[in-house]
Structure formats: C-alpha cells, structure tokens
Amino acid sequence: MALSSIRFMIPCSTTPFPQEGNSGNTSSNVIDMKPFSTQNWGIPQNGTLYSSPLGTFNPNDLGSKQARKLELYKHTLSQLGEDPLESLAMIDAIQRLGIDYHFQEEIEAILERQYLISSVNHSNQDLYEVALRFRLLRQEGYYVPEGIFDQFIDKDGTFKEKLKGDIKGLMSLYEASQLSIIGEQVLDQAEEYSYHTLSSWVSHSDSHLGRLVGNTLDHPHHRSLAKFMAKHFYKDLHSSSGWISILQELARTELKMNQYQYQQEIVQISKWWKELDWSEELKFARIQPLKWYIWSIGCLPDPNLSEQRIELAKLISFIYIIDDIFDVHGTLDELKLFTQVVNRWDIDASDQLPYYMKICFKVLDMVTNEISFKVYKQHGWNPTASLRRTWARLCTAFLVEAKWFADGELPSAKEYLENGIISSGVHVVLVHIFFLLGQGTTQENVQLIDSIPPIISSTAKILRLWDDLGSAKDEDQEGNDGSYVECYIKEHQGTSVEAARKHVVQMISETWKSLNQECLSPTPFSSTFTKASLNLARMVPLMYNYDDNHRLPSLEEHVKSLLYDNLGTI
C-alpha cells in the first residue's frame, strides 16, 4: 500500500541478542562453485549462495604479504608526494581503485599541502591540475572557491576557446563540476561547457580516448562507487611511472582479499536468515539477502567495517519486509494497529497483531536491542530511543501513503515528497550507521541526527526522486504504485510526462549540490559517516535502474566484478 513499489532497503540487524563467547566465526561454511546469478537476489534452493573464483588460499599469509607491500607503497607515496601534480595523480589513482582506506594519513598530509597551494597560487594555467586539485580537496571536505577557475574564462564570461582541444583538462573539469554547491554559477557553466564539448568525442567509439570520455560522462567519479568502477580504471591505468605497477599489484591482491571477506560475510547473512526460519510467514515479501548485503558494501566498503556491514544487511532486510507488509499484504486496519505498536514500542500490545506482524515486530525489537547493546558496549552510548524512533517514523510514513491510496486521492507534490523522504528509509539506515560507527556521539550530535539533518534528508530526497523516475517495477512486487512524477503532473495540468521527468532530473541535480554542501568542513559528522551518506546516494541509480525484464543489469555486472573478477585478467 506504499506509494512506490520500489522502496529503499538498507541493512537492519535482526540477529539474536549477543552472548559472551559467540564470535560468529563462519570458517566452516563452504561456498559451492556454482554459476553466479543475481536474478532473484535470494538464496538458491540447493542452499548455495554464489560461486567462488578464489580456490583455496591462506588469507592470513596473503594479508601479511600485502601489509609489507602497503608499507613500501606508503613510503613511495610520501617521497613522491613532494611533487604537487604527481601526488595528485597518485591520490586519484588510489581512490579510483577503491583502496584509499589504507592511505588516509598519507592522503590527508598531502592534501593539507595542496590546500595551501590552492590558497596562494591562482596563476597555474594547467586546467587538468587545477581541476583535479579542486576535486580531490572538495571530496575530502576542503572548501575551495569556484573562483579558482576564473583564469580559464574570457572577458565575455565564457570558457576560453583554446580549451576545446584539451580533452584531458576538460574531463578533469567535468569531474570537478560534480562537486558544486548551490549558487556556484561558474561550476554550473563548467559542467555544461565540458559536457557538450566532450560529447562530440564519444562518437569516436572505436578509439581509446572516445571510450575514456564516454565513461567519464556516464560515470563521474564523485557520483560513482569506486569499488564498482575499479576494474574500468584499472584497465586504463597506464604510465611510465614506477608507482603505477606497484599500485596495480596492490589493487589485485586487495581485490582478492576483499572478495574472500565479502563472500564470508554473505555466508553469515545467509545463515542468519535461514536460522530465523521465518520464510513461511513471509511468502508475500522479497527475500533477497544478496541485495541487502550489496547496499551495505556500497555504504561501507572499508574491509575494517565488517561487523557494521553485516548489521546493516540485516537492517535492510527489515526495511524491505516492512515495506512489503504495507505495500502488498496488510489491510489498512492491520497497518494502523502495527504502526501504533511500533510507535509505542509495546511488546504486550503486539499480541493483538496478526501472527506475521507480531513475529516481525518481536524480531525487530530483538535486533534493535542487539544493536543498542553492541553500540553501548563498544562506544558507551545507548541509542535505543533513537533507533526505535527511526522505525516509528518509517511506519508512520508508510501508513500515510496507505491512507492516501485507500482514499483514492493523490497528495500535492510537496506533501508527497516530504513524506516520501521519510518513507525512503534512508534516515533509518544513516541513523543506525551513525551509532554503529560510534564517531562523534555527543549529546548535541545525537539530537542533530534525531532531527533528520540535511545530510540525511538530501540523501533521502535523491533516492525518493530516483525511485519515482521508475524505469520499471521491482521484481516480484505487485503493490500500489505512485510517484512524485504522477503527483506533479496532476498538480500542473498540461505538463507532459517527459517534462515532469526532466523536472525531477533537475531536482536530483540540485539536491546533489545540497548534499555536497553538507559534506564540506566544518561538519559535525565524521568523514566515514559523510562518505557513507554519499555512497548511499551513489548506490541509488544502480539499485533502481530496472530493465523491461525486471532485472538490474548494471548492478549485476558490478556485483559479479566485485565478487568474482580477477583484475589481472580484465
């Protein structure tokens, strides 16, 4: 009964309350070597989850060798980091290969020096270097004014004609423009100018340069997930610099180690779901453990955040399930009662619910208690009230949508979007991530996170609007469908679907600018949290780009690359 049949699902933890001595070791789980398919995103009937390309190897032995290589590369990075352009290129390569979590201290030290360069030197005429420095600094939260690009603009206010031949510089300029904030007209102009100039090169599809340009326009780094795009960058990483070969070797080994870790985490999630033994009561729901987990990889790709990823994948399962309860199964009276129980968080009152709802709430309560216990034990803060509040808000928003459809009336576009930001589920995910990370959990920050600050609402708005562009229905879901586009057309009589969709695309672009603003320093949130928010927004196009067969071909390709490909053979 929810407005959209394609809801945002992100990890929610529903494992039993933690017990002493239970480490969750999965070394006994064997992964069968079966052909990989993500069509159903669930657990195959034979009980196997996916195939493994890794064979047998000792991850500890591989890890010790990788540690020695990392130390060697860190030394190289520190030495070459004295060269401004070379250090920028190295940071860019490290980030695009998705292994920057190993080099945060070195990257921060280099960017501090680069920020001083950007502050005092405005005469560098190399567009590639200026744009690359601008992008890397803004990505890390440094505010660099757009005026740094004034040197490339003629007196008539347009970008200089000679730049049209600087393809490398224009690609860097387009990438930089993706970090604009609201009101930056120079960067808006830079995006339009670079996009239209570069588009003519895409037609050179048989050329290496044409492919590079097309990939830049389709997948700018700031709006893409590095882990999913690494193989494309690896393929094009060619240079006479000695550090390139070292970096490539690091990336190959890192991918293999990550694949092993991710696969073990998927096994844990699969095992957890099977042990709940809840499938009979949820025949109407989407049971898609692999998809739940892919959301968590996207948000928190750092290998060191394994426990958080697993908790998130469980959390996502509950957003999916509760959405399906509201969207395709529950009656309006049942949904009202369920929402009341969640708002009061009343275990006794849950006995009045239909059995499938009662089980859902009691396991949700167990999961919330488990997460709260872990957060308190690790970080000294009890988040129970905040976590319960996120679920209450989500169910209340779902119920609002159910009532709209029961009445047969569409709300105004504004009303729909305000409620849709909550029903997206993004606030549930990011509030849980905030507490699971345990960074900056002061009273002031907890009050801020509870208020759904702009960094959360902007991310949620991007998801809701992308969802409502709706290229196709989600697989196996036949609930009521509605969208911002539909509400907008009703409110603006005579507007075509094409014009409404164009309006939504523009809204998404403007919301990205707001999100960029929220990630600039000073911010009350940790860089890990702000990057998780960005990563969630980056996941959205992949998770909602269904084809006519209700499949996600782009996402399937990326998942196979992340879990099975060998960089050395690409």
Side-chain angles (χ1 to χ4, degrees):
M1 307 244 189
L3 274 174
S4 171
S5 63
I6 308 174
R7 278 287 169 239
F8 169 80
M9 309 311 157
I10 303 240
C12 163
S13 172
T14 61
T15 45
F17 204 83
Q19 299 179 9
E20 289 297 318
N22 182 8
S23 64
N25 192 322
T26 62
S27 59
S28 61
N29 291 293
V30 178
I31 304 167
D32 265 8
M33 308 286 281
K34 302 292 183 184
F36 169 76
S37 172
T38 58
Q39 182 169 2
N40 296 317
W41 298 97
I43 304 173
Q45 303 224 338
N46 63 5
T48 63
L49 202 58
Y50 53 85
S51 63
S52 169
L54 303 179
T56 58
F57 73 99
N58 186 331
N60 294 326
D61 182 55
L62 195 62
S64 61
K65 292 180 180 178
Q66 182 76 339
R68 291 192 292 271
K69 294 175 186 175
L70 284 170
E71 286 304 314
L72 175 63
Y73 193 78
K74 287 180 179 181
H75 179 69
T76 302
L77 180 58
S78 298
Q79 284 187 321
L80 296 179
E82 299 299 324
D83 181 289
L85 183 55
E86 189 83 358
S87 61
L88 290 173
M90 293 176 79
I91 292 174
D92 186 35
I94 290 169
Q95 291 180 345
R96 287 179 182 271
L97 288 171
I99 59 175
D100 47 305
Y101 44 81
H102 283 304
F103 304 97
Q104 283 307 306
E105 291 185 8
E106 291 76 15
I107 289 174
E108 289 173 9
I110 291 172
L111 289 181
E112 282 184 12
R113 295 196 295 268
Q114 293 286 345
Y115 183 64
L116 292 176
I117 293 174
S118 70
S119 301
V120 301
N121 185 1
H122 296 281
S123 60
N124 191 326
Q125 297 299 307
D126 183 77
L127 178 60
Y128 167 75
E129 181 176 348
V130 171
L132 178 59
R133 179 180 293 112
F134 176 91
R135 174 171 65 83
L136 294 180
L137 286 170
R138 278 212 174 179
Q139 281 176 182
E140 293 302 313
Y142 290 91
Y143 174 71
V144 182
E146 64 171 345
I148 202 166
F149 293 107
D150 288 346
Q151 59 185 297
F152 304 106
I153 297 177
D154 277 327
K155 293 180 180 179
D156 62 359
T158 61
F159 278 85
K160 295 178 179 180
E161 184 70 21
K162 68 178 183 179
L163 296 177
K164 288 186 176 181
D166 184 3
I167 303 305
K168 185 178 180 181
L170 288 174
M171 289 168 62
S172 186
L173 180 63
Y174 180 74
E175 293 271 18
S177 71
Q178 304 306 303
L179 284 107
S180 65
I181 59 178
I182 292 175
E184 292 189 317
Q185 297 180 355
V186 171
L187 285 175
D188 288 344
Q189 184 183 354
E191 180 180 29
E192 182 178 2
Y193 171 78
S194 56
Y195 182 86
H196 287 295
T197 305
L198 290 169
S199 293
S200 61
W201 285 85
V202 179
S203 59
H204 301 217
S205 57
D206 58 337
S207 72
H208 174 69
L209 182 58
R211 182 171 56 80
L212 282 178
V213 171
N215 194 54
T216 296
L217 297 181
D218 293 339
H219 307 288
H221 178 68
H222 181 61
R223 296 199 186 182
S224 303
L225 288 161
K227 282 288 186 184
F228 289 168
M229 300 304 298
K231 71 171 185 178
H232 298 288
F233 180 72
Y234 183 94
K235 190 187 315 182
D236 297 315
L237 190 57
H238 304 294
S239 173
S240 58
S241 300
W243 59 265
I244 291 289
S245 60
I246 303 175
L247 187 58
Q248 287 177 314
E249 186 178 354
L250 277 174
R252 284 195 300 270
T253 305
E254 192 71 16
L255 175 65
K256 184 178 291 188
M257 294 177 64
N258 288 349
Q259 285 174 339
Y260 179 83
Q261 180 175 6
Y262 294 156
Q263 289 174 0
Q264 294 304 311
E265 291 171 5
I266 293 172
V267 168
Q268 290 188 55
I269 293 162
S270 171
K271 185 171 180 286
W272 162 80
W273 178 256
K274 284 185 174 183
E275 289 177 351
L276 283 179
D277 194 22
W278 194 13
S279 298
E280 189 65 26
E281 292 80 14
L282 297 174
K283 290 181 178 179
F284 60 88
R286 292 162 290 179
I287 308 305
Q288 303 170 321
L290 182 56
K291 186 184 285 187
W292 304 337
Y293 177 70
I294 292 304
W295 275 112
S296 62
I297 287 183
C299 289
L300 300 172
D302 187 335
N304 295 317
L305 299 175
S306 178
E307 182 179 359
Q308 290 86 343
R309 268 194 302 279
I310 291 170
E311 296 303 323
L312 279 178
K314 297 173 186 177
L315 176 83
I316 290 181
S317 74
F318 270 80
I319 304 179
Y320 270 102
I321 290 164
I322 293 174
D323 175 54
D324 287 346
I325 286 174
F326 277 82
D327 201 41
V328 301
H329 196 67
T331 67
L332 187 58
D333 286 340
E334 290 173 346
L335 299 178
K336 289 178 180 177
L337 184 57
F338 184 78
T339 303
Q340 290 172 7
V341 168
V342 175
N343 270 274
R344 295 201 305 265
W345 210 271
D346 190 338
I347 296 293
D348 293 334
S350 68
D351 289 335
Q352 306 170 39
L353 295 170
Y355 183 70
Y356 75 96
M357 283 184 169
K358 179 168 63 176
I359 293 297
C360 177
F361 177 70
K362 287 189 174 180
V363 179
L364 178 62
D365 176 63
M366 180 175 62
V367 170
T368 303
N369 288 336
E370 174 194 331
I371 293 177
S372 297
F373 178 80
K374 287 184 177 180
V375 170
Y376 181 76
K377 186 176 181 180
Q378 295 175 8
H379 309 298
W381 189 281
N382 182 359
T384 304
S386 295
L387 302 188
R388 289 178 175 180
R389 193 176 296 116
T390 65
W391 292 109
R393 282 173 169 164
L394 180 67
C395 291
T396 300
F398 281 172
L399 182 61
V400 168
E401 294 176 345
K403 289 178 178 178
W404 283 339
F405 278 97
D407 295 339
E409 292 291 332
L410 284 176
S412 69
K414 180 180 179 182
E415 287 177 306
Y416 169 83
L417 188 55
E418 287 177 351
N419 190 74
I421 285 172
I422 304 302
S423 68
S424 71
V426 167
H427 75 291
V428 178
V429 176
L430 290 179
V431 169
H432 280 74
I433 287 178
F434 171 78
F435 286 111
L436 284 168
L437 292 174
Q439 299 167 345
T441 48
T442 63
Q443 185 66 48
E444 183 180 10
N445 282 352
V446 169
Q447 290 176 352
L448 179 60
I449 205 79
D450 281 348
S451 71
I452 310 183
I455 193 170
I456 293 180
S457 60
S458 295
T459 305
K461 187 175 179 181
I462 289 170
L463 185 144
R464 170 54 61 225
L465 292 173
W466 250 107
D467 178 351
D468 290 348
L469 284 175
S471 60
K473 273 183 174 290
D474 192 359
E475 68 270 48
D476 303 324
Q477 238 233 2
E478 300 298 332
N480 291 308
D481 192 22
S483 70
Y484 180 85
V485 172
E486 188 177 352
C487 295
Y488 183 83
I489 290 174
K490 179 188 174 185
E491 196 171 302
H492 298 80
Q493 296 293 326
T495 301
S496 67
V497 173
E498 181 181 359
R501 288 174 63 85
K502 185 176 181 180
H503 171 69
V504 170
V505 170
Q506 182 59 35
M507 289 178 68
I508 292 172
S509 178
E510 290 301 303
T511 308
W512 260 104
K513 294 178 182 179
S514 298
L515 181 56
N516 289 340
Q517 175 75 65
E518 294 304 314
C519 294
L520 290 175
S521 296
T523 172
F525 302 114
S526 69
S527 62
T528 309
F529 179 81
T530 59
K531 288 175 182 177
S533 302
L534 287 167
N535 284 339
L536 202 161
R538 291 161 178 156
M539 284 288 290
V540 171
L542 291 172
M543 285 300 212
Y544 293 95
N545 190 23
Y546 288 92
D547 64 13
D548 293 336
N549 297 316
H550 309 290
R551 299 277 299 268
L552 295 164
S554 296
L555 181 62
E556 290 182 13
E557 178 188 348
H558 289 313
V559 171
K560 290 169 74 174
S561 171
L562 186 67
L563 295 177
Y564 310 104
D565 283 349
N566 183 338
L567 283 178
T569 61
I570 292 176

